[in-house]
Structures are given as C-alpha cells and as structure tokens.
Amino acid sequence: MHLHVLFDIDGEYEMRRFFDFYKWHLFFLVLIIICVGFVLSNVTHKKEPDLTIGYVGKNYINVQTFNDNKKTIELLLHDANGDSEKISSIGAYAVDLESDLHEVFEKLIDKDSFDLFIAEKTAFTKYADKSVFATATEYANLVEKPADTLKDDKGRVYAVSLEGIDFLKRMGIVDSTDLYIAAMNPKDGGELTTNRKNGRNIAGYILTQE
C-alpha cells in the first residue's frame, strides 16, 4: 500500500515535469493546428465570383466603396458557377508611369481572369487589332447614347469612354477622365462563358447610367 502511494506521487511528479517542459511546445502545436484549420476552411469555402472587373489607371480607387455598393451590379448577374449566389469582385491597380500602365495591363490580359476592364485610354491601344475585347455594339447602344470610342483598323468599336458617368463613383472611381470600358472576349476564341456574358451585360449597364 505504501509503495503504491509512492508510485502515484512519483507519477504525478513526472507528469508535472512533462507539462512544465513541453507546455510551450504543446501551446504552439495547438496554435498551428488552429491556423492550418482556419486556412483550409477559407480555401474550401472561398466563393468564386460570377464577374471580375479589372481597373488599371493613374488614380487610386476606393475598393471599400465598391464593396459597399456592388449589390446593384450583382442583382444583374447570372449565376456562373451554380452555387446559387451572385458575386462580383474588382482587382484595382493604380500606376503612375505610362510604361508601367502598359506592363500591368498586359499581365492582367494574359492572366485571363477578368471579364471586363476599366482602364486608361492608352492601355487599350496595344490590343486594338487582336480581338481581345468584344465588339462594343454587342452590349451597348452607341446610337442612343453617343460616346467617344476606340476602334480597330476595321472600324470595330471595342472600348467606350466613361467620361461623365457619375455611377462610377459608386464603384469607388472618383475621376472618370480618360477612362474607357471594354468587355473581354473568351481567350483564343473559346466558348462564351457566363462570366464573360456577365462582363458584357454589366459593361452595357454602366454605359446607360448617368
């Protein structure tokens, strides 16, 4: 009986020593497990947007303003991925130098993850003859509301000026000077996806606003 009690005391002592020595190891192990679980949860529950807008210009835009008001746009979207939700997102890139403007724009075009672009006029000119952008008359009535446009060498309108459209302020874009809008074509002449259709629809919608 006496030996049994001594064993219990020794066992308790060893257990205490174990926790004293390894408590920080255990703490950080639990913390790592929680962080990994959080990251995995975000990845598995990440929502895929039904519309992705790209902005490239010399002025910064207020992304928070866009997020606060994007419901107006999202109500007009079609569900592109079958998740019964309508989600839009914007990737905003403010650049100072014209050379940087072209470089950033080219990388975003090659990335092929945007459905429509709002960008400085000079950014578009390199793509005038490459059919990267949809014909604007597919989604915009340019007769009803005349606007300055960009055309390729065949006279095809592929981008439309946003000058004076105050709706852009609700998208976080305060200054619309020298900005144009263009909807993306499917890459390499592929099938017109719902995302790209949404790009056309929203580009047309923005152009009808005051």
Side-chain angles (χ1 to χ4, degrees), residues 18 52 59 69 84-85 106 117-118 145 161 175 184 196:
F18 175 83
T52 305
N59 297 313
N69 293 285
S84 300
E85 295 188 67
E106 184 174 4
F117 273 100
I118 295 172
K145 190 173 182 179
S161 172
D175 186 4
M184 290 285 290
R196 294 295 154 89

Side-chain angles (χ1 to χ4, degrees), residues 58 95-102:
K58 296 175 182 176
V95 290
D96 295 325
L97 300 177
E98 187 168 317
S99 57
D100 294 337
L101 186 79
H102 286 288

Side-chain angles (χ1 to χ4, degrees), residues 10-126:
D10 289 343
E12 183 180 343
Y13 174 73
E14 291 297 329
M15 186 68 71
R16 189 182 301 116
R17 283 188 61 194
F18 175 83
F19 277 110
D20 286 343
F21 185 79
Y22 288 107
K23 62 182 178 182
W24 289 113
H25 298 76
L26 292 171
F27 172 78
F28 285 113
L29 177 61
V30 171
L31 187 62
I32 290 172
I33 291 173
I34 292 174
C35 289
V36 169
F38 179 76
V39 171
L40 290 176
S41 176
N42 281 346
V43 170
T44 55
H45 292 88
K46 185 178 180 180
K47 303 294 185 181
E48 290 295 327
D50 303 290
L51 170 73
T52 305
I53 301 170
Y55 167 84
V56 182
K58 296 175 182 176
N59 297 313
Y60 287 92
I61 75 169
N62 191 326
V63 175
Q64 185 59 51
T65 300
F66 173 82
N67 289 332
D68 291 341
N69 293 285
K70 64 180 183 178
K71 206 64 180 176
T72 303
I73 288 175
E74 290 174 343
L75 289 172
L76 303 173
L77 299 179
H78 297 285
D79 181 10
N81 49 31
D83 63 358
S84 300
E85 295 188 67
K86 297 178 181 180
I87 300 173
S88 63
S89 66
I90 189 167
Y93 303 84
V95 290
D96 295 325
L97 300 177
E98 187 168 317
S99 57
D100 294 337
L101 186 79
H102 286 288
E103 182 180 353
V104 170
F105 197 59
E106 184 174 4
K107 288 181 179 178
L108 296 179
I109 294 292
D110 291 341
K111 192 176 180 182
D112 194 42
S113 58
F114 295 90
D115 304 304
L116 72 85
F117 273 100
I118 295 172
E120 301 272 343
K121 180 178 181 178
T122 55
F124 286 108
T125 53
K126 181 178 178 180

